[in-house]
Structure formats: C-alpha cells, structure tokens
mmCIF file of all heavy atoms in Angstrom:
data_model
loop_
_atom_site.group_PDB
_atom_site.id
_atom_site.type_symbol
_atom_site.label_atom_id
_atom_site.label_comp_id
_atom_site.label_asym_id
_atom_site.label_seq_id
_atom_site.Cartn_x
_atom_site.Cartn_y
_atom_site.Cartn_z
ATOM 1 N N ALA A 1 108.728 40.415 75.069
ATOM 2 C CA ALA A 1 109.606 39.282 74.912
ATOM 3 C C ALA A 1 108.784 37.974 74.227
ATOM 4 O O ALA A 1 109.260 37.314 73.352
ATOM 5 C CB ALA A 1 110.224 38.803 76.109
ATOM 6 N N VAL A 2 107.514 37.875 74.755
ATOM 7 C CA VAL A 2 106.637 36.808 74.298
ATOM 8 C C VAL A 2 106.168 37.060 72.808
ATOM 9 O O VAL A 2 106.231 36.135 72.104
ATOM 10 C CB VAL A 2 105.577 36.558 75.260
ATOM 11 C CG1 VAL A 2 104.510 35.624 74.640
ATOM 12 C CG2 VAL A 2 105.861 36.244 76.629
ATOM 13 N N LEU A 3 105.960 38.254 72.547
ATOM 14 C CA LEU A 3 105.510 38.634 71.255
ATOM 15 C C LEU A 3 106.555 38.316 70.231
ATOM 16 O O LEU A 3 106.423 37.831 69.205
ATOM 17 C CB LEU A 3 105.129 40.044 71.222
ATOM 18 C CG LEU A 3 104.234 40.485 70.040
ATOM 19 C CD1 LEU A 3 102.990 39.731 69.910
ATOM 20 C CD2 LEU A 3 103.988 42.136 70.133
ATOM 21 N N ARG A 4 107.849 38.743 70.643
ATOM 22 C CA ARG A 4 109.000 38.609 69.656
ATOM 23 C C ARG A 4 109.091 37.039 69.494
ATOM 24 O O ARG A 4 109.531 36.514 68.286
ATOM 25 C CB ARG A 4 110.305 39.105 70.140
ATOM 26 C CG ARG A 4 110.279 40.680 70.139
ATOM 27 C CD ARG A 4 111.757 41.230 70.361
ATOM 28 N NE ARG A 4 112.196 40.963 71.718
ATOM 29 C CZ ARG A 4 111.973 41.831 72.611
ATOM 30 N NH1 ARG A 4 111.365 42.900 72.403
ATOM 31 N NH2 ARG A 4 112.244 41.444 73.851
ATOM 32 N N GLN A 5 109.052 36.189 70.596
ATOM 33 C CA GLN A 5 109.250 34.800 70.360
ATOM 34 C C GLN A 5 108.214 34.278 69.507
ATOM 35 O O GLN A 5 108.495 33.262 68.607
ATOM 36 C CB GLN A 5 109.138 34.240 71.820
ATOM 37 C CG GLN A 5 109.436 32.670 71.844
ATOM 38 C CD GLN A 5 108.274 31.817 71.703
ATOM 39 O OE1 GLN A 5 107.180 32.265 72.088
ATOM 40 N NE2 GLN A 5 108.398 30.606 71.075
ATOM 41 N N GLN A 6 106.961 34.671 69.588
ATOM 42 C CA GLN A 6 105.871 34.134 68.806
ATOM 43 C C GLN A 6 106.047 34.651 67.398
ATOM 44 O O GLN A 6 105.757 33.783 66.517
ATOM 45 C CB GLN A 6 104.499 34.595 69.226
ATOM 46 C CG GLN A 6 104.126 34.019 70.609
ATOM 47 C CD GLN A 6 104.084 32.560 70.479
ATOM 48 O OE1 GLN A 6 103.314 31.934 69.687
ATOM 49 N NE2 GLN A 6 104.765 31.907 71.440
ATOM 50 N N VAL A 7 106.543 35.784 67.158
ATOM 51 C CA VAL A 7 106.744 36.226 65.770
ATOM 52 C C VAL A 7 107.817 35.264 65.089
ATOM 53 O O VAL A 7 107.648 34.696 63.936
ATOM 54 C CB VAL A 7 107.228 37.643 65.611
ATOM 55 C CG1 VAL A 7 107.768 38.058 64.234
ATOM 56 C CG2 VAL A 7 106.060 38.524 65.976
ATOM 57 N N ASP A 8 108.955 35.032 65.776
ATOM 58 C CA ASP A 8 110.046 34.090 65.257
ATOM 59 C C ASP A 8 109.302 32.694 65.030
ATOM 60 O O ASP A 8 109.597 32.009 63.994
ATOM 61 C CB ASP A 8 111.052 34.059 66.231
ATOM 62 C CG ASP A 8 111.974 35.221 66.317
ATOM 63 O OD1 ASP A 8 111.789 36.124 65.461
ATOM 64 O OD2 ASP A 8 112.613 35.474 67.355
ATOM 65 N N ARG A 9 108.552 32.130 65.976
ATOM 66 C CA ARG A 9 107.936 30.858 65.825
ATOM 67 C C ARG A 9 107.129 30.876 64.538
ATOM 68 O O ARG A 9 107.095 29.843 63.700
ATOM 69 C CB ARG A 9 107.208 30.493 67.034
ATOM 70 C CG ARG A 9 106.396 29.120 66.933
ATOM 71 C CD ARG A 9 105.544 28.910 68.087
ATOM 72 N NE ARG A 9 104.409 29.765 68.203
ATOM 73 C CZ ARG A 9 103.216 29.693 67.635
ATOM 74 N NH1 ARG A 9 103.130 28.482 66.856
ATOM 75 N NH2 ARG A 9 102.253 30.322 67.703
ATOM 76 N N MET A 10 106.171 31.793 64.474
ATOM 77 C CA MET A 10 105.330 31.861 63.345
ATOM 78 C C MET A 10 105.982 32.031 61.876
ATOM 79 O O MET A 10 105.531 31.490 61.028
ATOM 80 C CB MET A 10 104.203 33.073 63.522
ATOM 81 C CG MET A 10 103.356 32.809 64.764
ATOM 82 S SD MET A 10 102.349 34.196 65.138
ATOM 83 C CE MET A 10 101.185 34.109 63.810
ATOM 84 N N LEU A 11 107.057 32.913 61.884
ATOM 85 C CA LEU A 11 107.820 32.985 60.611
ATOM 86 C C LEU A 11 108.407 31.726 60.164
ATOM 87 O O LEU A 11 108.650 31.412 59.058
ATOM 88 C CB LEU A 11 108.739 34.080 60.745
ATOM 89 C CG LEU A 11 108.250 35.541 60.713
ATOM 90 C CD1 LEU A 11 109.201 36.526 61.025
ATOM 91 C CD2 LEU A 11 107.425 35.832 59.507
ATOM 92 N N ALA A 12 108.755 30.809 61.153
ATOM 93 C CA ALA A 12 109.368 29.546 60.889
ATOM 94 C C ALA A 12 108.362 28.451 60.516
ATOM 95 O O ALA A 12 108.877 27.320 59.984
ATOM 96 C CB ALA A 12 110.178 29.026 62.119
ATOM 97 N N ASP A 13 107.171 28.806 60.646
ATOM 98 C CA ASP A 13 106.109 27.874 60.247
ATOM 99 C C ASP A 13 105.743 27.912 58.822
ATOM 100 O O ASP A 13 105.747 28.994 58.196
ATOM 101 C CB ASP A 13 104.832 28.081 61.163
ATOM 102 C CG ASP A 13 103.690 27.121 60.982
ATOM 103 O OD1 ASP A 13 103.131 26.942 59.983
ATOM 104 O OD2 ASP A 13 103.442 26.485 62.055
ATOM 105 N N PRO A 14 105.497 26.802 58.188
ATOM 106 C CA PRO A 14 105.143 26.730 56.680
ATOM 107 C C PRO A 14 104.039 27.649 56.309
ATOM 108 O O PRO A 14 103.925 28.185 55.204
ATOM 109 C CB PRO A 14 104.873 25.285 56.420
ATOM 110 C CG PRO A 14 105.571 24.538 57.487
ATOM 111 C CD PRO A 14 105.565 25.399 58.703
ATOM 112 N N LYS A 15 103.152 27.933 57.275
ATOM 113 C CA LYS A 15 101.938 28.816 57.036
ATOM 114 C C LYS A 15 102.499 30.253 56.609
ATOM 115 O O LYS A 15 101.662 30.995 56.191
ATOM 116 C CB LYS A 15 100.992 28.805 58.211
ATOM 117 C CG LYS A 15 100.209 27.546 58.316
ATOM 118 C CD LYS A 15 99.004 27.645 59.220
ATOM 119 C CE LYS A 15 99.471 27.745 60.633
ATOM 120 N NZ LYS A 15 98.268 27.554 61.588
ATOM 121 N N ALA A 16 103.685 30.633 57.129
ATOM 122 C CA ALA A 16 104.275 31.974 56.794
ATOM 123 C C ALA A 16 104.350 32.178 55.409
ATOM 124 O O ALA A 16 104.498 33.365 54.981
ATOM 125 C CB ALA A 16 105.492 32.153 57.592
ATOM 126 N N ARG A 17 104.463 31.234 54.536
ATOM 127 C CA ARG A 17 104.429 31.414 53.109
ATOM 128 C C ARG A 17 103.284 32.249 52.619
ATOM 129 O O ARG A 17 103.372 32.890 51.643
ATOM 130 C CB ARG A 17 104.328 30.020 52.405
ATOM 131 C CG ARG A 17 105.643 29.239 52.542
ATOM 132 C CD ARG A 17 105.396 27.794 51.792
ATOM 133 N NE ARG A 17 105.073 28.064 50.290
ATOM 134 C CZ ARG A 17 105.841 28.194 49.389
ATOM 135 N NH1 ARG A 17 107.149 28.042 49.562
ATOM 136 N NH2 ARG A 17 105.442 28.404 48.044
ATOM 137 N N ALA A 18 102.156 32.095 53.337
ATOM 138 C CA ALA A 18 100.981 32.999 53.015
ATOM 139 C C ALA A 18 101.312 34.434 52.966
ATOM 140 O O ALA A 18 100.818 35.165 52.212
ATOM 141 C CB ALA A 18 99.818 32.745 53.971
ATOM 142 N N PHE A 19 102.225 34.947 53.890
ATOM 143 C CA PHE A 19 102.495 36.323 53.931
ATOM 144 C C PHE A 19 103.313 36.766 52.642
ATOM 145 O O PHE A 19 102.995 37.763 52.082
ATOM 146 C CB PHE A 19 103.419 36.561 55.222
ATOM 147 C CG PHE A 19 104.027 38.058 55.200
ATOM 148 C CD1 PHE A 19 103.035 39.117 55.412
ATOM 149 C CD2 PHE A 19 105.260 38.200 54.976
ATOM 150 C CE1 PHE A 19 103.693 40.434 55.559
ATOM 151 C CE2 PHE A 19 105.831 39.465 54.856
ATOM 152 C CZ PHE A 19 105.031 40.584 55.264
ATOM 153 N N THR A 20 104.308 35.993 52.364
ATOM 154 C CA THR A 20 105.077 36.379 51.190
ATOM 155 C C THR A 20 104.306 36.210 49.957
ATOM 156 O O THR A 20 104.370 37.058 49.030
ATOM 157 C CB THR A 20 106.359 35.548 51.056
ATOM 158 O OG1 THR A 20 106.132 34.144 51.221
ATOM 159 C CG2 THR A 20 107.373 35.822 52.290
ATOM 160 N N GLU A 21 103.540 35.093 49.790
ATOM 161 C CA GLU A 21 102.752 34.986 48.576
ATOM 162 C C GLU A 21 101.845 35.982 48.401
ATOM 163 O O GLU A 21 101.620 36.553 47.320
ATOM 164 C CB GLU A 21 102.117 33.584 48.622
ATOM 165 C CG GLU A 21 103.091 32.419 48.523
ATOM 166 C CD GLU A 21 102.429 31.091 48.684
ATOM 167 O OE1 GLU A 21 101.258 31.011 49.001
ATOM 168 O OE2 GLU A 21 103.075 29.983 48.426
ATOM 169 N N ASN A 22 100.937 36.384 49.485
ATOM 170 C CA ASN A 22 99.965 37.387 49.341
ATOM 171 C C ASN A 22 100.498 38.675 49.238
ATOM 172 O O ASN A 22 99.991 39.547 48.426
ATOM 173 C CB ASN A 22 98.990 37.206 50.536
ATOM 174 C CG ASN A 22 98.167 35.883 50.553
ATOM 175 O OD1 ASN A 22 97.998 35.286 49.526
ATOM 176 N ND2 ASN A 22 97.965 35.479 51.755
ATOM 177 N N PHE A 23 101.440 39.024 50.151
ATOM 178 C CA PHE A 23 101.842 40.491 50.159
ATOM 179 C C PHE A 23 102.696 40.767 48.702
ATOM 180 O O PHE A 23 102.422 41.638 48.086
ATOM 181 C CB PHE A 23 102.750 40.742 51.199
ATOM 182 C CG PHE A 23 103.417 42.086 51.208
ATOM 183 C CD1 PHE A 23 102.654 43.252 51.448
ATOM 184 C CD2 PHE A 23 104.852 42.287 50.920
ATOM 185 C CE1 PHE A 23 103.214 44.465 51.457
ATOM 186 C CE2 PHE A 23 105.277 43.557 50.892
ATOM 187 C CZ PHE A 23 104.463 44.671 51.202
ATOM 188 N N THR A 24 103.665 39.922 48.493
ATOM 189 C CA THR A 24 104.450 40.237 47.326
ATOM 190 C C THR A 24 103.736 39.971 45.951
ATOM 191 O O THR A 24 103.875 40.672 45.038
ATOM 192 C CB THR A 24 105.733 39.362 47.308
ATOM 193 O OG1 THR A 24 105.479 37.904 47.334
ATOM 194 C CG2 THR A 24 106.712 39.636 48.480
ATOM 195 N N GLY A 25 102.830 39.037 46.109
ATOM 196 C CA GLY A 25 101.914 38.733 44.861
ATOM 197 C C GLY A 25 101.062 39.921 44.600
ATOM 198 O O GLY A 25 100.819 40.090 43.378
ATOM 199 N N GLN A 26 100.699 40.700 45.492
ATOM 200 C CA GLN A 26 99.936 41.856 45.130
ATOM 201 C C GLN A 26 100.923 43.121 45.063
ATOM 202 O O GLN A 26 100.754 43.836 44.186
ATOM 203 C CB GLN A 26 98.778 42.167 46.311
ATOM 204 C CG GLN A 26 97.919 41.066 46.426
ATOM 205 C CD GLN A 26 96.953 41.336 47.658
ATOM 206 O OE1 GLN A 26 96.062 42.066 47.497
ATOM 207 N NE2 GLN A 26 97.230 40.754 48.863
#
C-alpha cells in the first residue's frame, strides 16, 4: 500500500518528466 502511494506521488512530481523523456526518447 505504501509502495503504491509513493508511485502515485512520484508520478505526480515534475521530476517524473525524466521517465517519459528518457524512456520514450530512447
């Protein structure tokens, strides 16, 4: 439950742009 909550929090953070930029960029 804590892990799911943290994933939701982190995806809502502007730093999550790094995931889409790096993954899709490659």
